[in-house]
Amino acid sequence: MVEKKSPASGWPIVQGDFHTGDAQSCVGVVTMGSHLDEQGICDAGAAIAGSCKTENLGLEKIIANVISNPNIRFILCCGTEVKGHLSGQSFIALHEGGVSGGKIVGAQGAIPFIENLSDDAISRFQEQIEIVNIMESEDMGAIKAKIDELKARDPGAFGAEPMIVEVKEAGGAAEEATGEVQPLSGELALVHARMKVIERMVTDIGYRNKFAAGVYSGKIEGLMIGLIVSFVILGFILLG
């Protein structure tokens, strides 16, 4: 019989959009952008099951809950990819290549930046977990069959004790306490980036409108000057 350990007290330690089952199960399931029957997946034998919409905070929450439960040894990735964020691809890239300079190596999502996980936490995730990829599958029968297959391969609990990491969703409280400006969350950074793009577009449109207005005004002014000169010349001719 494989060895099991107690997860961290109060597991899962980070709240989110997921359901929980047997905390001693070796399988966790991430449904990415799909809304499947997560409770049904847990009833089928998963320790935890839920979606993941973002390639930063969403991934951090999953990893925090996984490494705080040494019994979880497999993460089954299923469901549809999240457009733009590509949380599935980013999650797999994080497991394969880790993080460099705060950015997930090889991630193709819009904002694949990790703020709450230390190098030790990421290494622990990589060592503890095997990723099983059946992305784009929403077939509950296939998902449950894969859970059964993975449970049959249960290697037992990871050798180390639960690792606890804190995942901060916003820097407001910490910023007020320390007086330091905290990094923007991934979602807020994306909003700011898009706002800057819109501002640049509005500025460009303004410049173009000014240029067009100047050209038009120049044409009218030139026409009026031409008419006045023509009338003056015609007057001289008639007087002569």
Side-chain angles (χ1 to χ4, degrees):
M1 187 173 180
V2 294
E3 178 186 358
K4 296 293 180 179
K5 292 183 177 182
S6 297
S9 177
W11 185 86
I13 62 172
V14 180
Q15 298 304 307
D17 183 18
F18 55 78
H19 291 77
T20 56
D22 180 7
Q24 292 195 338
S25 172
C26 63
V27 183
V29 179
V30 185
T31 60
M32 297 306 168
S34 299
H35 290 281
L36 304 180
D37 180 10
E38 278 91 11
Q39 187 57 59
I41 292 174
C42 289
D43 293 341
I48 188 169
S51 60
C52 179
K53 304 298 193 305
T54 59
E55 73 281 37
N56 39 66
L57 185 61
L59 300 190
E60 291 175 338
K61 288 183 176 181
I62 292 171
I63 293 172
N65 282 332
V66 166
I67 63 178
S68 59
N69 185 348
N71 298 311
I72 301 176
R73 306 303 307 276
F74 303 99
I75 292 294
L76 178 61
C77 295
C78 58
T80 59
E81 183 63 281
V82 182
K83 293 182 180 179
H85 290 288
L86 302 179
S87 54
Q89 188 275 334
S90 299
F91 185 69
I92 294 170
L94 174 60
H95 186 265
E96 292 179 348
V99 173
S100 178
K103 183 178 181 181
I104 300 173
V105 177
Q108 299 172 9
I111 40 176
F113 296 99
I114 299 300
E115 298 178 0
N116 292 294
L117 302 179
S118 65
D119 291 342
D120 288 341
I122 294 170
S123 296
R124 166 65 179 268
F125 169 67
Q126 293 171 315
E127 294 171 9
Q128 177 179 329
I129 295 299
E130 175 184 334
I131 298 289
V132 180
N133 182 8
I134 57 169
M135 285 286 296
E136 303 307 324
S137 174
E138 295 183 318
D139 186 329
M140 291 294 290
I143 293 170
K144 292 178 179 179
K146 184 61 70 171
I147 291 173
D148 289 338
E149 176 187 323
L150 296 174
K151 288 177 66 178
R153 293 174 48 200
D154 190 352
F158 187 69
E161 294 303 309
M163 177 179 280
I164 309 295
V165 295
E166 182 181 5
V167 177
K168 298 179 181 179
E169 297 195 36
E175 189 171 318
E176 291 175 2
T178 63
E180 298 178 355
V181 177
Q182 301 295 321
L184 294 176
S185 67
E187 289 80 4
L188 193 56
L190 179 60
V191 171
H192 277 268
R194 289 178 175 173
M195 287 178 65
K196 289 181 179 179
V197 171
I198 293 172
E199 288 175 359
R200 286 197 296 270
M201 292 175 65
V202 170
T203 301
D204 289 343
I205 291 172
Y207 286 145
R208 290 175 184 177
N209 286 341
K210 287 181 180 179
F211 177 76
V215 170
Y216 180 76
S217 298
K219 288 181 178 178
I220 297 298
E221 184 178 351
L223 180 61
M224 293 301 296
I225 292 173
L227 287 172
I228 292 171
V229 171
S230 298
F231 285 134
V232 170
I233 293 174
L234 180 61
F236 281 124
I237 293 174
L238 291 176
L239 289 174

PDB file of all heavy atoms in Angstrom, residues 3 23 28 58 64-65 80 82 112 118 121 141 144 173 201 209 213 215 218 225 227 232 237:
ATOM      1  N   GLU A   3       2.300   5.033   0.514  1.00  0.00           N
ATOM      2  CA  GLU A   3       2.296   5.917   1.677  1.00  0.00           C
ATOM      3  C   GLU A   3       1.543   7.208   1.365  1.00  0.00           C
ATOM      4  O   GLU A   3       1.651   7.769   0.283  1.00  0.00           O
ATOM      5  CB  GLU A   3       3.735   6.261   2.063  1.00  0.00           C
ATOM      6  CG  GLU A   3       3.839   7.219   3.254  1.00  0.00           C
ATOM      7  CD  GLU A   3       5.255   7.656   3.522  1.00  0.00           C
ATOM      8  OE1 GLU A   3       6.158   7.186   2.795  1.00  0.00           O
ATOM      9  OE2 GLU A   3       5.454   8.480   4.430  1.00  0.00           O
ATOM     10  N   ALA A  23      -8.686  14.109  -0.319  1.00  0.00           N
ATOM     11  CA  ALA A  23      -7.404  14.806  -0.212  1.00  0.00           C
ATOM     12  C   ALA A  23      -6.217  13.860  -0.334  1.00  0.00           C
ATOM     13  O   ALA A  23      -5.082  14.308  -0.515  1.00  0.00           O
ATOM     14  CB  ALA A  23      -7.318  15.559   1.110  1.00  0.00           C
ATOM     15  N   GLY A  28      -5.008  15.640  -9.506  1.00  0.00           N
ATOM     16  CA  GLY A  28      -5.694  16.923  -9.558  1.00  0.00           C
ATOM     17  C   GLY A  28      -6.077  17.181 -11.000  1.00  0.00           C
ATOM     18  O   GLY A  28      -5.361  16.784 -11.918  1.00  0.00           O
ATOM     19  N   GLY A  58      -4.119  32.643 -11.787  1.00  0.00           N
ATOM     20  CA  GLY A  58      -4.799  31.353 -11.839  1.00  0.00           C
ATOM     21  C   GLY A  58      -3.838  30.189 -11.652  1.00  0.00           C
ATOM     22  O   GLY A  58      -4.107  29.257 -10.883  1.00  0.00           O
ATOM     23  N   ALA A  64      -0.097  26.586  -5.605  1.00  0.00           N
ATOM     24  CA  ALA A  64      -0.107  26.719  -4.147  1.00  0.00           C
ATOM     25  C   ALA A  64      -0.902  25.595  -3.504  1.00  0.00           C
ATOM     26  O   ALA A  64      -0.485  25.022  -2.485  1.00  0.00           O
ATOM     27  CB  ALA A  64      -0.690  28.076  -3.755  1.00  0.00           C
ATOM     28  N   ASN A  65      -2.043  25.252  -4.083  1.00  0.00           N
ATOM     29  CA  ASN A  65      -2.865  24.178  -3.517  1.00  0.00           C
ATOM     30  C   ASN A  65      -2.262  22.802  -3.759  1.00  0.00           C
ATOM     31  O   ASN A  65      -2.446  21.890  -2.944  1.00  0.00           O
ATOM     32  CB  ASN A  65      -4.281  24.248  -4.100  1.00  0.00           C
ATOM     33  CG  ASN A  65      -5.123  25.337  -3.469  1.00  0.00           C
ATOM     34  OD1 ASN A  65      -4.921  25.704  -2.320  1.00  0.00           O
ATOM     35  ND2 ASN A  65      -6.070  25.877  -4.225  1.00  0.00           N
ATOM     36  N   THR A  80     -11.067  23.174 -22.777  1.00  0.00           N
ATOM     37  CA  THR A  80     -10.646  24.028 -23.889  1.00  0.00           C
ATOM     38  C   THR A  80      -9.631  25.079 -23.442  1.00  0.00           C
ATOM     39  O   THR A  80      -9.642  25.524 -22.304  1.00  0.00           O
ATOM     40  CB  THR A  80     -11.855  24.738 -24.516  1.00  0.00           C
ATOM     41  OG1 THR A  80     -12.506  25.531 -23.519  1.00  0.00           O
ATOM     42  CG2 THR A  80     -12.849  23.731 -25.070  1.00  0.00           C
ATOM     43  N   VAL A  82      -7.907  28.728 -23.162  1.00  0.00           N
ATOM     44  CA  VAL A  82      -8.456  30.072 -22.950  1.00  0.00           C
ATOM     45  C   VAL A  82      -7.829  31.010 -23.972  1.00  0.00           C
ATOM     46  O   VAL A  82      -6.614  31.214 -23.970  1.00  0.00           O
ATOM     47  CB  VAL A  82      -8.162  30.570 -21.518  1.00  0.00           C
ATOM     48  CG1 VAL A  82      -8.783  31.940 -21.306  1.00  0.00           C
ATOM     49  CG2 VAL A  82      -8.699  29.578 -20.495  1.00  0.00           C
ATOM     50  N   PRO A 112       2.131  36.211 -19.021  1.00  0.00           N
ATOM     51  CA  PRO A 112       2.563  35.038 -18.247  1.00  0.00           C
ATOM     52  C   PRO A 112       3.611  35.375 -17.187  1.00  0.00           C
ATOM     53  O   PRO A 112       4.737  34.888 -17.213  1.00  0.00           O
ATOM     54  CB  PRO A 112       3.150  34.127 -19.323  1.00  0.00           C
ATOM     55  CG  PRO A 112       3.743  35.089 -20.306  1.00  0.00           C
ATOM     56  CD  PRO A 112       2.827  36.295 -20.313  1.00  0.00           C
ATOM     57  N   SER A 118       8.024  31.516  -5.299  1.00  0.00           N
ATOM     58  CA  SER A 118       9.486  31.542  -5.260  1.00  0.00           C
ATOM     59  C   SER A 118      10.052  30.454  -6.164  1.00  0.00           C
ATOM     60  O   SER A 118       9.332  29.557  -6.625  1.00  0.00           O
ATOM     61  CB  SER A 118       9.974  31.314  -3.823  1.00  0.00           C
ATOM     62  OG  SER A 118       9.623  30.007  -3.386  1.00  0.00           O
ATOM     63  N   ALA A 121       9.335  27.116  -4.668  1.00  0.00           N
ATOM     64  CA  ALA A 121       7.969  26.642  -4.860  1.00  0.00           C
ATOM     65  C   ALA A 121       7.787  26.075  -6.267  1.00  0.00           C
ATOM     66  O   ALA A 121       7.131  25.036  -6.451  1.00  0.00           O
ATOM     67  CB  ALA A 121       6.980  27.780  -4.615  1.00  0.00           C
ATOM     68  N   GLY A 141     -16.372  10.915 -19.822  1.00  0.00           N
ATOM     69  CA  GLY A 141     -15.975   9.510 -19.793  1.00  0.00           C
ATOM     70  C   GLY A 141     -14.475   9.343 -19.929  1.00  0.00           C
ATOM     71  O   GLY A 141     -13.841   8.578 -19.193  1.00  0.00           O
ATOM     72  N   LYS A 144     -12.709  10.680 -16.682  1.00  0.00           N
ATOM     73  CA  LYS A 144     -12.819   9.735 -15.564  1.00  0.00           C
ATOM     74  C   LYS A 144     -11.958   8.494 -15.798  1.00  0.00           C
ATOM     75  O   LYS A 144     -11.350   7.970 -14.856  1.00  0.00           O
ATOM     76  CB  LYS A 144     -14.284   9.352 -15.349  1.00  0.00           C
ATOM     77  CG  LYS A 144     -15.139  10.509 -14.830  1.00  0.00           C
ATOM     78  CD  LYS A 144     -16.600  10.110 -14.675  1.00  0.00           C
ATOM     79  CE  LYS A 144     -17.424  11.285 -14.143  1.00  0.00           C
ATOM     80  NZ  LYS A 144     -18.860  10.923 -13.994  1.00  0.00           N
ATOM     81  N   ALA A 173      -3.323  46.279   0.448  1.00  0.00           N
ATOM     82  CA  ALA A 173      -3.059  46.264   1.887  1.00  0.00           C
ATOM     83  C   ALA A 173      -1.570  46.314   2.172  1.00  0.00           C
ATOM     84  O   ALA A 173      -1.101  47.059   3.030  1.00  0.00           O
ATOM     85  CB  ALA A 173      -3.675  45.008   2.499  1.00  0.00           C
ATOM     86  N   MET A 201      -3.701  55.502 -29.954  1.00  0.00           N
ATOM     87  CA  MET A 201      -4.565  55.534 -31.136  1.00  0.00           C
ATOM     88  C   MET A 201      -5.363  56.837 -31.188  1.00  0.00           C
ATOM     89  O   MET A 201      -5.495  57.454 -32.247  1.00  0.00           O
ATOM     90  CB  MET A 201      -5.507  54.335 -31.116  1.00  0.00           C
ATOM     91  CG  MET A 201      -4.814  52.996 -31.322  1.00  0.00           C
ATOM     92  SD  MET A 201      -5.940  51.584 -31.143  1.00  0.00           S
ATOM     93  CE  MET A 201      -7.035  51.874 -32.530  1.00  0.00           C
ATOM     94  N   ASN A 209      -6.514  64.312 -37.667  1.00  0.00           N
ATOM     95  CA  ASN A 209      -7.609  65.261 -37.848  1.00  0.00           C
ATOM     96  C   ASN A 209      -7.092  66.688 -37.973  1.00  0.00           C
ATOM     97  O   ASN A 209      -7.572  67.486 -38.787  1.00  0.00           O
ATOM     98  CB  ASN A 209      -8.593  65.173 -36.676  1.00  0.00           C
ATOM     99  CG  ASN A 209      -9.443  63.913 -36.738  1.00  0.00           C
ATOM    100  OD1 ASN A 209      -9.562  63.294 -37.791  1.00  0.00           O
ATOM    101  ND2 ASN A 209     -10.034  63.529 -35.620  1.00  0.00           N
ATOM    102  N   ALA A 213      -7.534  68.976 -41.114  1.00  0.00           N
ATOM    103  CA  ALA A 213      -8.171  70.289 -40.970  1.00  0.00           C
ATOM    104  C   ALA A 213      -7.261  71.386 -41.504  1.00  0.00           C
ATOM    105  O   ALA A 213      -7.718  72.348 -42.146  1.00  0.00           O
ATOM    106  CB  ALA A 213      -8.500  70.537 -39.499  1.00  0.00           C
ATOM    107  N   VAL A 215      -4.948  71.087 -43.864  1.00  0.00           N
ATOM    108  CA  VAL A 215      -4.925  71.007 -45.324  1.00  0.00           C
ATOM    109  C   VAL A 215      -6.179  71.645 -45.911  1.00  0.00           C
ATOM    110  O   VAL A 215      -6.129  72.416 -46.872  1.00  0.00           O
ATOM    111  CB  VAL A 215      -4.800  69.540 -45.780  1.00  0.00           C
ATOM    112  CG1 VAL A 215      -5.013  69.427 -47.295  1.00  0.00           C
ATOM    113  CG2 VAL A 215      -3.436  68.981 -45.392  1.00  0.00           C
ATOM    114  N   GLY A 218      -6.054  75.342 -45.516  1.00  0.00           N
ATOM    115  CA  GLY A 218      -5.100  75.899 -46.469  1.00  0.00           C
ATOM    116  C   GLY A 218      -5.692  76.008 -47.864  1.00  0.00           C
ATOM    117  O   GLY A 218      -5.468  76.993 -48.582  1.00  0.00           O
ATOM    118  N   ILE A 225      -7.624  83.780 -51.445  1.00  0.00           N
ATOM    119  CA  ILE A 225      -6.553  84.693 -51.880  1.00  0.00           C
ATOM    120  C   ILE A 225      -6.512  84.785 -53.393  1.00  0.00           C
ATOM    121  O   ILE A 225      -6.364  85.873 -53.981  1.00  0.00           O
ATOM    122  CB  ILE A 225      -5.186  84.226 -51.324  1.00  0.00           C
ATOM    123  CG1 ILE A 225      -5.159  84.390 -49.790  1.00  0.00           C
ATOM    124  CG2 ILE A 225      -4.042  85.002 -51.967  1.00  0.00           C
ATOM    125  CD1 ILE A 225      -3.928  83.803 -49.148  1.00  0.00           C
ATOM    126  N   LEU A 227      -8.995  84.321 -55.451  1.00  0.00           N
ATOM    127  CA  LEU A 227     -10.144  85.098 -55.932  1.00  0.00           C
ATOM    128  C   LEU A 227      -9.914  86.597 -55.740  1.00  0.00           C
ATOM    129  O   LEU A 227     -10.232  87.420 -56.626  1.00  0.00           O
ATOM    130  CB  LEU A 227     -11.412  84.665 -55.184  1.00  0.00           C
ATOM    131  CG  LEU A 227     -11.987  83.285 -55.571  1.00  0.00           C
ATOM    132  CD1 LEU A 227     -13.115  82.910 -54.628  1.00  0.00           C
ATOM    133  CD2 LEU A 227     -12.478  83.309 -57.022  1.00  0.00           C
ATOM    134  N   VAL A 232      -8.714  91.955 -58.036  1.00  0.00           N
ATOM    135  CA  VAL A 232      -7.867  93.147 -58.066  1.00  0.00           C
ATOM    136  C   VAL A 232      -7.315  93.370 -59.462  1.00  0.00           C
ATOM    137  O   VAL A 232      -7.351  94.484 -60.002  1.00  0.00           O
ATOM    138  CB  VAL A 232      -6.732  93.026 -57.031  1.00  0.00           C
ATOM    139  CG1 VAL A 232      -5.717  94.147 -57.233  1.00  0.00           C
ATOM    140  CG2 VAL A 232      -7.297  93.065 -55.611  1.00  0.00           C
ATOM    141  N   ILE A 237      -7.584  96.238 -64.793  1.00  0.00           N
ATOM    142  CA  ILE A 237      -7.803  96.145 -66.242  1.00  0.00           C
ATOM    143  C   ILE A 237      -8.986  97.020 -66.658  1.00  0.00           C
ATOM    144  O   ILE A 237      -8.935  97.745 -67.658  1.00  0.00           O
ATOM    145  CB  ILE A 237      -8.038  94.676 -66.667  1.00  0.00           C
ATOM    146  CG1 ILE A 237      -6.739  93.871 -66.456  1.00  0.00           C
ATOM    147  CG2 ILE A 237      -8.500  94.588 -68.117  1.00  0.00           C
ATOM    148  CD1 ILE A 237      -6.899  92.383 -66.712  1.00  0.00           C
TER     149      ILE A 237
END
